[in-house]
């Protein structure tokens, strides 16, 4: 937790460590459960999740402490990412009867500012990440029925975000992209079909190609590791919590059966998955 | 959200990994959405009694961890309906595009039953992604026919073509030819009221379409 966040209003909240013990029990009431979790990322030295508490987005620390954020009021945030360059969030802003795809930036995960919005287009960004030399977001133009109709991409170049063309993601036009991860060697994105998840890889963010599938799984978090791409997901046929490595096996995650995957991060304790369970965040080693 | 493996006692299976798989699955959705699914399957049972009972449903997902209505636990993807008589309706096999008109009409009957309870229903004519399932969700306004909605207009155009040989382009655009075919179909079905302005007349029309679809009869 950085110094600025420590100075902000905070309160304890429930965060569980599956298979170990609850780290702390907060004072939140039944009305104050987390209704959504946009994602999880390592900020400073610790993992933090961006979650919706009531109608407000809060940053949830590893010990369950929550910090109110500013700049995200009314937003539908769908993914977050961090690296030493800062914190990013993507999603949409309401623009009735539609929504407008939006990117937000923050230095600390608490104070946010809008960095880009696709005005006048019914759209949402659904994945954001840092990759080789830049940051990138992917999302969809939506139909009136809010079905994906066209994949959109945006990049940050010299601190300015703009929509960019990409090739190779045409098969995702009518699919939801749930997560985007990058490292020095390139990018990986996950798109959900009725059969499972199709992964797409790109060395530069501009040219993409398919890179394997994860059957019967809606992947919500990716970790790009030397040994392969590790994922966390909920099954599509049923909603079982599962994890695995692309091209290798899968295994259940020891979380309650109604746990919804939020994401995965590499922490000092190793790779950790985050799950939303009955309005509470739960973590599990993967 | 709640966890369920049956809708009002009817099992729900997952066939996308292998079929015909009848392993019970623990699905999730909101309580309100499940309550609507119960109304849906009761409608389906009552409108398709000639096929026997509904033995099971195959689905491609209710709560699915992705953006949108699926992620909120307020959507369903329908792959297959199995009746006790052996009759089937299988969007998974793209029955909307079958060369067998009886299968196309049965598909439209299932589509119509689904529209009785869900505002947004995306079918095989809607786009390529929905060619192999019928999607239903809680989005949008209360149930009614929207002449500006591509999903609704394509359903009406497909209905007019398959029951009345209207010869319409299924393009999702409500033009004069679609208006004329719709008005004629509505009259033939004996629908009173305006399905574009209220749920009751639209549901009346949808029930009538479903009856003809399950019976494989024109109107």
């Amino acid at each position: 937790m950085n110094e600025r966040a420590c100075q902000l209003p905070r309160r304890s909240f429930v965060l569980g460590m599956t298979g170990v013990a609850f780290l702390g029990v907060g004072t939140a009431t039944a009305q104050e459960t987390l209704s959504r979790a946009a994602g999880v990322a390592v900020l400073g030295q610790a993992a933090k999740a961006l979650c919706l508490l009531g109608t407000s987005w809060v940053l949830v620390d590893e010990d369950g402490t929550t910090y109110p954020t500013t700049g995200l009021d009314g937003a539908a945030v769908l993914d977050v990412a961090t690296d030493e360059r800062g914190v990013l969030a993507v999603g949409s802003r309401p623009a009735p009867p539609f929504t407008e795809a939006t990117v937000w930036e923050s230095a600390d995960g608490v104070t946010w500012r809008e960095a880009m919005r696709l005005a006048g287009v019914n759209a949402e960004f659904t994945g954001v990440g840092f990759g080789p030399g830049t940051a990138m977001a992917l999302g969809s133009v939506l139909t009136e029925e809010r079905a994906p109709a066209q994949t959109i991409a945006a990049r940050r170049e010299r601190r300015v975000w703009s929509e960019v063309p990409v090739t190779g993601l045409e098969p995702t036009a009518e699919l939801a992209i749930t997560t985007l991860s990058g490292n020095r060697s390139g990018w990986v994105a996950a798109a959900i079909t009725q059969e499972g998840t199709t992964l797409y890889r790109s060395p530069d963010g501009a040219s993409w190609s398919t890179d394997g599938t994860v059957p019967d799984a809606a992947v919500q978090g990716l970790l790009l590791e030397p040994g392969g791409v590790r994922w966390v997901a909920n099954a599509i046929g049923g909603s079982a919590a599962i994890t695995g490595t692309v091209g290798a096996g899968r295994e259940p995650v020891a979380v309650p059966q109604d746990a919804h995957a939020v994401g995965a991060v590499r922490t000092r304790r190793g790779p950790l998955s985050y799950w939303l369970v009955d309005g509470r965040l739960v973590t599990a080693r993967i | 959200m709640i966890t369920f493996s049956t809708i009002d006692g009817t099992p729900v299976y997952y066939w996308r990994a292998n079929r015909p798989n009848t392993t019970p699955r623990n699905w999730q959705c909101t309580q309100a959405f499940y309550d609507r699914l119960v109304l849906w399957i009761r409608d389906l049972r009552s409108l398709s009694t000639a096929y026997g009972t509904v033995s099971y449903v195959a689905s491609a997902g209710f709560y699915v961890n992705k953006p949108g209505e699926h992620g909120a636990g307020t959507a369903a993807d329908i792959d297959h309906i199995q009746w006790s008589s052996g009759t089937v309706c299988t969007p998974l096999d793209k029955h909307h595009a079958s060369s067998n008109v009886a299968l196309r009409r049965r598909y439209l009957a299932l589509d119509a039953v689904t529209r009785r309870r869900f505002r947004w229903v995306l079918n095989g004519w809607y786009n390529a992604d929905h060619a192999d399932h019928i999607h239903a969700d809680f989005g949008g306004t209360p149930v009614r026919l929207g002449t500006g909605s591509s999903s609704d207009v394509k359903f009406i155009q497909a209905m007019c073509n398959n029951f009345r040989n209207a010869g319409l382009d299924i393009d999702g655009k409500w033009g004069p030819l679609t208006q004329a075919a719709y008005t004629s179909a509505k009259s033939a079905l004996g629908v009173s009221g305006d399905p574009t302005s209220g749920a009751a007349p639209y549901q009346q029309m949808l029930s009538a379409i479903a009856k003809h679809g399950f019976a494989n009869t024109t109107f």
Side-chain angles (χ1 to χ4, degrees):
Chain A
M1 174 59 59
N2 63 36
E3 185 176 348
R4 179 174 180 177
C6 286
Q7 296 169 346
L8 293 165
R10 63 180 181 178
R11 59 181 163 179
S12 180
F13 199 79
V14 176
L15 181 71
M17 175 64 84
T18 301
V20 180
F22 272 73
L23 293 177
V25 177
T27 56
T29 67
Q31 290 76 33
E32 294 177 304
T33 57
L34 304 171
S35 57
R36 259 188 281 170
V40 58
V42 174
L43 180 56
Q45 297 296 312
K48 293 178 175 61
L50 186 62
C51 301
L52 193 60
L53 177 63
T55 58
S56 302
W57 289 97
V58 296
L59 201 61
V60 185
D61 210 344
E62 281 189 17
D63 66 0
T65 305
T66 63
Y67 300 86
T69 68
T70 60
L72 296 174
D73 293 346
V77 186
L78 294 171
D79 197 20
V80 297
T82 60
D83 81 348
E84 65 276 6
R85 290 164 280 187
V87 194
L88 300 173
V90 294
S92 65
R93 283 277 189 199
F98 301 139
T99 63
E100 294 176 339
T102 308
V103 178
W104 295 269
E105 294 179 336
S106 172
D108 56 11
V110 171
T111 304
W112 294 86
R113 72 169 191 87
E114 189 175 302
M116 176 194 185
R117 189 192 308 202
L118 292 181
V121 180
N122 189 24
E124 62 187 2
F125 286 121
T126 54
V128 64
F130 287 95
T134 187
M136 183 169 190
L138 293 173
S140 301
V141 172
L142 302 170
T143 66
E144 179 190 5
E145 297 86 358
R146 298 197 65 73
Q150 177 191 336
T151 299
I152 53 174
R155 291 176 73 113
R156 186 171 69 178
E157 300 288 353
R158 295 189 181 88
R159 305 176 65 84
V160 176
W161 283 88
S162 58
E163 191 174 4
V164 293
V166 292
T167 61
L169 288 179
E170 293 82 2
T172 70
E174 296 178 354
L175 305 177
I177 291 171
T178 53
T179 186
L180 172 66
S181 292
N183 61 16
R184 290 175 184 169
S185 61
W187 302 87
V188 177
I192 311 300
T193 71
Q194 275 66 45
E195 285 80 20
T197 298
T198 303
L199 297 177
Y200 292 81
R201 189 179 284 270
S202 172
D204 56 9
S207 178
W208 294 78
S209 57
T210 55
D211 187 47
T213 59
V214 184
D216 189 8
V219 169
Q220 189 57 235
L222 294 169
L223 284 178
L224 309 188
E225 301 188 318
V229 179
R230 189 184 296 244
W231 51 266
V232 295
N234 287 99
I236 294 175
S239 306
I242 47 179
T243 186
T245 301
V246 176
R250 66 176 62 193
E251 59 186 347
V253 180
V255 290
Q257 70 167 13
D258 55 348
H260 297 165
V262 174
V265 287
R266 174 164 286 285
T267 70
R268 287 165 295 179
R269 289 176 286 156
L272 203 62
S273 61
Y274 271 67
W275 305 81
L276 191 61
V277 185
D278 293 331
R280 302 287 188 271
L281 276 178
V282 166
T283 59
R285 297 185 199 284
I286 55 173
Chain B
M1 289 193 204
I2 63 164
T3 300
F4 65 97
S5 59
T6 68
I7 300 172
D8 196 33
T10 300
V12 185
Y13 302 129
Y14 182 70
W15 277 11
R16 295 292 177 136
N18 58 73
R19 58 189 282 188
N21 187 315
T22 53
T23 305
R25 297 272 186 164
N26 287 324
W27 306 95
Q28 291 182 44
C29 70
T30 66
Q31 180 67 59
F33 192 79
Y34 180 81
D35 292 344
R36 196 70 64 86
L37 287 170
V38 170
L39 296 177
W40 167 77
I41 205 160
R42 290 178 180 175
D43 285 351
L44 181 62
R45 290 168 181 154
S46 68
L47 288 163
S48 63
T49 52
Y51 294 166
T53 58
V54 177
S55 302
Y56 62 85
V57 173
S59 172
F62 295 88
Y63 163 76
V64 178
N65 198 335
K66 63 181 182 180
E69 298 285 337
H70 277 293
T74 53
D77 285 342
I78 303 161
D79 273 354
H80 174 84
I81 305 292
Q82 179 78 46
W83 283 270
S84 58
S85 64
T87 304
V88 300
C89 181
T90 314
L92 181 59
D93 288 340
K94 304 179 181 177
H95 277 185
H96 73 287
S98 170
S99 59
N100 182 338
V101 68
L103 290 183
R104 296 200 305 273
R105 289 174 180 162
R106 194 180 303 154
Y107 180 101
L108 284 162
L110 173 61
D111 193 333
V113 170
T114 308
R115 286 172 195 274
R116 277 181 50 81
R117 298 299 180 182
F118 301 98
R119 173 66 187 96
W120 290 142
V121 177
L122 310 182
N123 63 20
W125 288 281
Y126 182 71
N127 64 9
D129 184 51
H130 294 86
D132 63 358
H133 64 282
I134 292 176
H135 167 100
D137 73 44
F138 259 3
T141 55
V143 170
R144 63 172 177 78
L145 172 61
T147 58
S149 158
S150 173
S151 60
D152 289 359
V153 176
K154 287 183 175 179
F155 167 72
I156 292 295
Q157 291 169 331
M159 177 273 290
C160 290
N161 285 356
N162 282 281
F163 290 98
R164 300 176 60 79
N165 288 320
L168 299 171
D169 288 338
I170 302 178
D171 59 5
K173 296 171 183 170
W174 192 274
L177 294 178
T178 299
Q179 175 67 54
Y182 159 76
T183 302
S184 175
K186 176 173 167 287
S187 175
L189 290 167
V191 176
S192 56
D194 180 4
T196 66
S197 64
Y202 191 35
Q203 288 174 322
Q204 180 193 1
M205 183 175 180
L206 292 166
S207 292
I209 294 168
K211 287 175 184 171
H212 282 282
F214 288 129
N216 187 25
T217 54
T218 58
F219 52 87

